[in-house]
Amino acid sequence: MRAIVFDRFGGPEVLRVAQMEPPRPGPGQVRLRVRAAGVNPLDHKIRDGAMQAVFPTSFPATPGLEAAGVVDEVGPGVAGLAVGDEVLALTDTGAYAEYALATVAARKPAEIDWDEAAALPVAGETAHRVLDLLAVGAGETLLVHGAAGAVGSLAAQLARARGAVVVGTASPRNHDYLRSLGVVPVTYGDGLVDRVREVAPQGVDAVLDAAGHGALPDSVALREGTTDRIVTIADPDAAQLGVTFSSGGRPTGELLAEIARAAVAGLLRITIAGRYPLDGASTAQARSATGHTRGKLVLRL
Ligand SMILES: NC(=O)c1ccc[n+]([C@@H]2O[C@H](COP(=O)([O-])OP(=O)(O)OC[C@H]3O[C@@H](n4cnc5c(N)ncnc54)[C@H](OP(=O)(O)O)[C@@H]3O)[C@@H](O)[C@H]2O)c1
């Protein structure tokens, strides 16, 4: 099979297309013929070696955490999925490949295309996890830092579906996009606390930091000095500030199915910012690393 591999840590140039043996499914795993793979910021952070302590990588490595495709082989003990099923999945092996293994997978509804299905698992699971942690409810006000990104935009929409008012930070070019998601836009940077207070005089009940660009002190100020109900998924200063850092949930196929159903029902919209062929993986990761993607980048296989 064709797959992207890297043999050392470095910039996007370390990624190359290679011929590899397709992986074989073990107990509980299905193998997918991948049709689309999602590109996540974690992919380039792993590639450049920044995540080695948390996600140890051995070489050769294939990037990618999520994919959509067709089940072409089923390992022992798999219930509910069969050869020929179209699925979205969190992959156990690198998703930037023609074939990948997955333990966590769900049937892809026909209404969702391959790109959307590949873009939903990581951001959808993360958005679900953090909203549950924050216990956002109807009538409350949630502030989302990074609301135009993949996780931020899905979390904002899920919070809207729960009946919350959502204020989201983004650069001005994304403000109309945030409005289209039902989010009150605010520009990030100096003066943020005043701008949020202006659009949310009722106060902020919970904060999701999906950007990781130093907005936690402002978040604590907006929560009137408490770190209660503030969660970050990206700010390394969280522990120092006493703020909860959420990572790595326990996703299930049922959760992926629920996310896919929400997309079909129109409660979740994932914007595809760019589509690349497999050999465009380094370009896609370089774009992801700019930190200004609206929605999600995907590789088409
Ligand atoms: N801990 C976990 O479980 C977990 C899970 C998934 C992702 N993550 C991490 O969470 C972060 C977000 O992931 P993602 O996939 O949503 O990323 P993404 O889609 O690449 O996020 C890009 C967005 O960030 C916005 N942004 C850039 N600078 C900003 C700032 N200073 N303030 C507010 N927004 C800003 C951009 O908006 P503008 O273009 O308008 O600037 C853009 O829309 C990444 O660091 C990722 O590694 C963590």
Side-chain angles (χ1 to χ4, degrees):
M1 68 169 184
R2 290 167 72 235
I4 297 294
V5 297
F6 60 111
D7 309 289
R8 61 190 165 89
F9 295 125
E13 70 284 351
V14 301
L15 301 181
R16 62 182 173 85
V17 179
Q19 283 293 335
M20 324 241 316
E21 276 304 305
R24 299 294 309 279
Q29 290 179 315
V30 295
R31 186 171 77 177
L32 333 185
R33 171 62 178 91
V34 175
R35 298 293 303 271
V39 175
N40 285 283
L42 186 59
D43 302 349
H44 70 79
K45 295 178 191 176
I46 289 175
R47 185 210 65 219
D48 67 21
M51 303 301 286
Q52 189 60 0
V54 196
F55 296 97
T57 299
S58 53
F59 300 123
T62 293
L65 309 164
E66 60 188 346
V70 182
V71 173
D72 88 320
E73 199 175 341
V74 176
V78 171
L81 289 175
V83 169
D85 283 348
E86 298 184 351
V87 296
L88 62 161
L90 287 159
T91 56
D92 303 333
T93 55
Y96 294 16
E98 287 177 330
Y99 294 88
L101 303 180
T103 310
V104 176
R107 282 208 187 80
K108 179 185 85 62
E111 295 88 342
I112 302 178
D113 68 24
W114 293 115
D115 300 342
E116 292 164 328
L120 281 169
V122 169
E125 184 279 322
T126 308
H128 247 274
R129 168 169 28 103
V130 291
L131 280 196
D132 284 349
L133 261 177
L134 289 168
V136 176
E140 292 194 311
T141 298
L142 171 70
L143 171 63
V144 178
H145 299 292
V151 176
S153 64
L154 293 189
Q157 292 172 77
L158 287 175
R160 294 284 297 128
R162 290 182 181 200
V165 173
V166 180
V167 176
T169 69
S171 59
R173 73 179 184 92
N174 277 321
H175 285 194
D176 281 345
Y177 171 62
L178 293 195
R179 285 187 197 97
S180 78
L181 301 177
V183 173
V184 180
V186 170
T187 302
Y188 51 74
D190 285 350
L192 178 68
V193 170
D194 289 341
R195 286 193 295 281
V196 172
R197 286 196 174 129
E198 200 173 309
V199 298
Q202 71 278 21
V204 166
D205 300 298
V207 182
L208 164 60
D209 172 30
H213 290 293
L216 292 181
D218 281 353
S219 305
V220 176
L222 284 161
R223 289 282 300 127
E224 308 300 343
T226 176
T227 54
D228 184 40
R229 298 187 81 193
I230 303 176
V231 169
T232 182
I233 59 166
D235 196 319
D237 293 340
Q240 208 176 308
L241 295 164
V243 169
T244 301
F245 188 107
S246 172
S247 65
R250 291 180 170 274
T252 59
E254 181 42 43
L255 176 60
L256 293 193
E258 188 183 328
I259 291 164
R261 281 195 297 272
V264 172
L267 298 174
L268 276 186
R269 191 173 111 203
I270 186 78
T271 298
I272 305 299
R275 298 168 175 81
Y276 297 83
L278 186 65
D279 62 8
S282 48
T283 309
Q285 284 198 356
R287 183 168 164 198
S288 169
T290 66
H292 294 290
T293 309
R294 177 189 295 170
K296 202 87 190 190
L297 304 172
V298 294
L299 302 182
R300 307 296 310 273
L301 286 104

